[in-house]
Amino acid sequence: MPVEPECEELPAIGDLLRLINLRDIGGHRVHDGREVRRGVLFRSASLWALTPTQLAAIRDLQINSVIDLRHNSERASRPTPWENMGCTQYWSHDHEP
């Protein structure tokens, strides 16, 4: 069973990232036994209400792309500030519950 990486791996911003439930997927093993590299793939809760300090912390992670799996209505009412996060790519798929 994969071990959930701890936010302490990013000590300067660990507590801040915990507030938005941002987690590094790195360290998890895939089907062939290799591990996802740390600091490359993150998952989070909705990011629509980020404070300026949280936006700066995310920019420091140098995340390039956001994949938004929320429904159309949720994305429309609470858009992800992906450009303010320093991201250059945003992907979503139209669907409703």
Side-chain angles (χ1 to χ4, degrees):
M1 177 171 224
V3 174
E4 185 70 31
E6 296 293 326
C7 288
E8 284 78 24
E9 294 167 6
L10 306 168
I13 56 178
D15 289 336
L16 185 63
L17 297 179
R18 245 192 275 345
L19 292 173
I20 58 171
N21 198 16
L22 184 74
R23 298 180 190 199
D24 188 347
I25 302 298
H28 288 277
R29 295 207 181 275
V30 294
H31 71 283
D32 65 0
R34 293 182 297 162
E35 282 188 4
V36 176
R37 281 187 302 154
R38 295 186 192 279
V40 174
L41 181 63
F42 296 86
R43 53 123 351 244
S44 74
S46 181
L47 300 170
W48 66 274
L50 295 172
T51 67
T53 303
Q54 290 168 330
L55 281 169
I58 289 178
R59 276 193 300 276
D60 288 346
L61 294 175
Q62 300 180 337
I63 295 171
N64 295 317
S65 303
V66 170
I67 300 171
D68 194 336
L69 302 176
R70 298 176 298 156
H71 296 115
N72 301 0
S73 55
E74 187 178 6
R75 288 193 324 268
S77 66
R78 295 182 171 135
T80 298
W82 61 278
E83 291 172 311
N84 294 336
M85 294 165 41
C87 298
T88 57
Q89 299 179 21
Y90 176 84
W91 181 90
S92 64
H93 179 71
D94 290 343
H95 66 284
E96 286 295 339

